[in-house]
Amino acid sequence: MSQIIGKARRRVDGRAKVTGQTRFADDLVLPRMLHCKLLRSAVPHARIVRIETSAAVAHPGVHLVLTGDTFPIPYGVLPVSHDEHALCRDTVRFVGDPVAAVIARDEATAGDAVRLIAVEYEPLRTFANPDDSLAYAEPRIHDYGDGGNVHKAVALQFGDVDAAIDGADHVFDDVFFFEGSTHLPIEQHAAVAAKDPDGKLVVWSSTQTPHYLHRALARALEMPAAHIRVIATPNGGGFGGKSDPFNHEVVVARAALKLDRPVKICLTREEVFYCHRGRHPVLMRFRTGVTREGRITGVDLQTLLDGGAYGSYGVASTFYTGALQTVTYDIPTYRFRGCRVFTNKPPCGPKRGHGTPQGRFGQEVQLDRIAERLQKDPAQFRLGMIVPPDSLTANYLRIGTIGLAECIRRVVASSGWTDKFRRLPVGRGVGLACSSYLSGAGLPINWNDLPHSGVQLKLDRSGGVTAFCGATEIGQGSDDVLVATVAEVLGIDPFDIRAVTGDTDLTPVDLGSYSSRVTLMMGHAAIQAATRARDLLARSVARRLEIPIERLTFRDRRVFDAEASERGVTFQEAVCMAEAEFGTIGTTGSYTPPKSAAKFKGGGVGPSPTYSYTAAVVEVDVDPGTGWIVVPRVWIAHDIGRSLNPTLARGQVEGSVYMGLGEALMEEQVFRRLPPRLSHALVHKFPSMLEYKSPTFLDMPDVHTDLIESMDPAGPFGAKEVGQGPLLPIMPALANAVYDAVGVRIDEVPVTPEKILKALQLKAAGKPARVGPASFPPNVPWPEALMVPPPWEGGDGRATNEPARKSKREAEPGIEAPAGVRR
């Protein structure tokens, strides 16, 4: 971990003496580090009959062996899905589920001892895919959910969808599939736990969400949260994969408490594949009605998610596969049904875009089909149905500013779209797609009325400022946004500001680096804190200079009269004046999103203070003889509101293009069965970066990025998100480009050469030139749909058939007891 400096030096009789200790960056001196390794299940689904640990316990250099008996309390990131134990207690649910831990003097010794542990299993039926999980209700992977092995099934309807679709001039009914993929950050997961000199627990971890890890540790360890400190170290990439609390973090925490020694664990790349929490494989059926003029009359969407073995963010993921379809295009009636099932594979969760890329792929490819049937240009077709600004959608999402039309016009112009679409030689093509995304989720995971982000400022007599915030730097530039925002308000240089972030002891709560929320929410909190500090300084300076306070300007490390700039003081002098008058100068700021218009159950997923929009054109070269695809160029325009740091923003856009191309062309987290003689276990096909393919520098195209700027009143200084939205249009734009190039539809990702060749062979044989899923399962146990009249039908955001709720605590499953308190 980056905080570990090495061996400590202690002054003894005036001399420096090297001790068998470890010093951390905050001068916490600890005994020598121990190391942890986990024993993981080699079978996909089984009861644990017996675990024999005596040989491991006796192995030289071993300090502790832990099993599931040590961890009786389950935990999870969502209050409705506390279904994980740090080590499995009675059942393993996928190959890679941890069952025991060894803590030893070094990593090699711990690894040797792990292999000495013997586990006897009683095999259970393996559920390899959603078809298995729907077909067999027993044995249940978990004893909670919506019945059998269905984790969550939802149904929401806004208006008379069937009448709207049946009355349309054209009806399109298409099925799509989006394969699962993993995050593949450069840095693997790691954690260190130790007791501080006061006997309190400290955990350093490569986490995106120190606040949620803090809560999970308090619950799983049955400790007061005030006695636990979580420090989120700067991450070498996260992309959503470090948003859950993980087994290894809880294990090293318990071991450190038992041994009173620091304990460290670094997962191997194979183990990161087991942690997963990546993109859900999703099967989708879109049924859409349109008029001959190209207006959508209604959309009926069904999604089926392969959730893997645990809940993770899965309930939210289920809703997200359909929640944002209405914030891009004008859809007057809408029905969404989503179902997530448990399977015996590593759990899926939030990967960049969290649940929305799958539905976006299906919708944008279907829109390309519709435009062709109506003989309309795909760009002009989309321009004619963009959702209006400052409006309320059918499912009660509040739209603010929307720059999508300008995004489309910009990529059409920069790519030379009108000269290329349907006009390039065979094998070359262009495709267009659009998207929208959240600028932070409107509701917290643990529903309450508390702020989503807080910032504290300390102004020093030296003229320096320290900014404290719980937000986590994962490479996206959140520390830069924090200091730049404060510097802008106070008129000082960002270098004058020290950022202290991601430390649950030192910083106010920020919910974490996910949902593209940090710039907007932390930015607002920072502006409020800085504005309050500026007001204190201004009052003192105005009195000293005997000028009206409204004439003061903060700029270039000075506070001066706007009408006579020579009359002023330095920023440092202003701080000292204010401190003399008011005492130590410290201020706070916080941010809570506006209340959602949606009052129905399930309406908590989708609301955001504002939405970003993106349009992309992808150009492809396809070899009809081999199916090989090359992407030479991508043009992308992103509605960012106001760009606070254009360099970082462009980096986020281009990183999204890179990840999107990986999912579009090659990335897939797939599984295979071992032969019966080798246990017939369901295992990863590629749990390694040697075989799991992702784009290299050689695969990366020229990317032409346009940032479409405007002032969004919901954002700090007018800013919107840029971290996740630009990924969404890349996959469908590529699939549409392949169709333009060789005339075949690949209705699933990844779009591989093998699939293109198969579709070309079907085309040559006079059959439908398409590769993709044939149908959607008829046996999904959909619940009765909640009927919510849309706003233009007099609706108030409530379902007409939702049962009355007895109390707020019963009504909102997101509310839970305080961390560390058991019910």
Side-chain angles (χ1 to χ4, degrees), residues 17 35 65 84 144 240 245 250 284 393 425 521 557 579 599 628 647 773:
K17 179 179 179 181
H35 293 262
V65 177
E84 298 186 60
Y144 79 99
V250 182
M284 298 160 275
T393 67
M521 299 192 183
R557 298 190 176 105
E579 185 172 344
K599 309 301 180 187
W628 192 258
T647 300

Side-chain angles (χ1 to χ4, degrees), residues 724-749:
Q724 303 187 61
L727 175 143
L728 274 66
I730 301 301
M731 294 77 78
L734 183 135
N736 292 337
V738 168
Y739 181 74
D740 186 44
V742 291
V744 299
R745 288 287 182 191
I746 311 300
D747 287 342
E748 61 185 40
V749 294

Side-chain angles (χ1 to χ4, degrees), residues 145-484:
D146 286 349
N149 285 302
V150 174
H151 177 203
K152 185 66 177 179
V154 301
L156 302 169
Q157 182 166 327
F158 307 90
D160 193 341
V161 180
D162 292 326
I165 293 177
D166 293 343
D169 297 316
H170 301 277
V171 177
F172 293 80
D173 197 337
D174 298 293
V175 184
F176 304 94
F177 178 67
F178 201 107
E179 183 57 89
S181 59
T182 198
H183 312 83
L184 220 66
I186 293 175
E187 179 197 48
Q188 293 133 234
H189 299 58
V192 173
K195 288 169 69 175
D196 70 12
D198 296 325
K200 297 178 181 179
L201 175 66
V202 185
V203 176
W204 293 260
S205 182
S206 56
T207 178
Q208 295 178 231
T209 53
H211 172 64
Y212 294 136
L213 175 57
H214 190 234
R215 296 182 66 97
L217 288 169
R219 176 183 172 86
L221 301 175
E222 298 185 275
M223 288 180 62
H227 296 175
I228 301 172
R229 179 183 181 187
V230 174
I231 300 173
T233 61
N235 280 204
F239 314 114
K242 298 172 183 175
S243 299
D244 283 73
F246 285 100
N247 314 77
H248 62 273
E249 295 164 323
V250 182
V251 168
V252 296
R254 174 65 77 194
L257 291 170
K258 281 181 170 287
L259 296 171
D260 199 10
R261 298 274 293 273
V263 180
K264 177 180 180 179
I265 186 167
C266 293
L267 301 191
T268 65
R269 180 61 62 176
E270 181 176 344
E271 288 180 299
V272 175
F273 276 92
Y274 296 145
C275 285
H276 192 40
R277 318 299 161 120
R279 187 84 71 216
H280 284 76
V282 177
L283 182 67
M284 298 160 275
R285 180 186 177 189
F286 275 86
R287 187 166 174 262
T288 302
V290 293
T291 67
R292 59 178 58 90
E293 293 79 21
R295 303 291 296 180
I296 294 175
T297 64
V299 173
D300 185 2
L301 170 60
Q302 299 176 68
T303 65
L304 178 60
L305 295 78
D306 183 341
Y310 291 98
S312 182
Y313 286 80
V315 171
S317 307
T318 305
F319 282 103
Y320 273 129
T321 58
L324 299 189
Q325 305 311 121
T326 60
V327 302
T328 314
Y329 307 114
D330 189 10
I331 299 175
T333 64
Y334 181 50
R335 178 164 57 218
F336 166 61
R337 287 169 286 180
C339 177
R340 183 182 194 261
V341 298
F342 290 120
T343 57
N344 294 121
K345 292 184 281 191
C348 298
K351 185 185 175 186
R352 200 173 194 169
H354 190 192
T356 65
Q358 298 95 320
R360 179 59 50 191
F361 174 79
Q363 186 174 41
E364 294 293 322
V365 174
Q366 187 182 65
L367 288 176
D368 211 55
R369 278 187 167 88
I370 296 172
E372 183 177 44
R373 173 81 65 84
L374 299 180
Q375 298 182 337
K376 290 181 176 289
D377 178 274
Q380 296 303 316
F381 173 52
R382 288 170 170 82
L383 282 169
M385 58 180 182
I386 293 173
V387 66
D390 302 314
S391 62
L392 206 57
T393 67
N395 57 338
Y396 289 85
L397 301 181
R398 188 173 285 111
I399 307 298
T401 63
I402 174 168
L404 181 57
E406 182 58 27
C407 289
I408 295 173
R409 295 188 187 103
R410 193 71 63 89
V411 296
V412 164
S414 61
S415 67
W417 169 266
T418 54
D419 296 327
K420 294 177 178 178
F421 180 66
R422 297 291 191 264
R423 297 187 180 188
L424 294 174
V426 173
R428 295 182 59 200
V430 290
L432 181 143
C434 302
S435 69
S436 53
Y437 197 65
L438 312 162
S439 291
L443 287 171
I445 287 174
N446 303 283
W447 284 21
N448 53 53
D449 295 324
L450 300 174
H452 292 210
S453 185
V455 170
Q456 291 177 329
L457 298 181
K458 176 183 74 70
L459 277 63
D460 190 79
R461 298 175 189 179
S462 66
V465 176
T466 305
F468 300 87
C469 182
T472 308
E473 176 61 67
I474 59 171
Q476 85 282 36
S478 61
D479 285 1
D480 178 86
V481 170
L482 175 61
V483 299

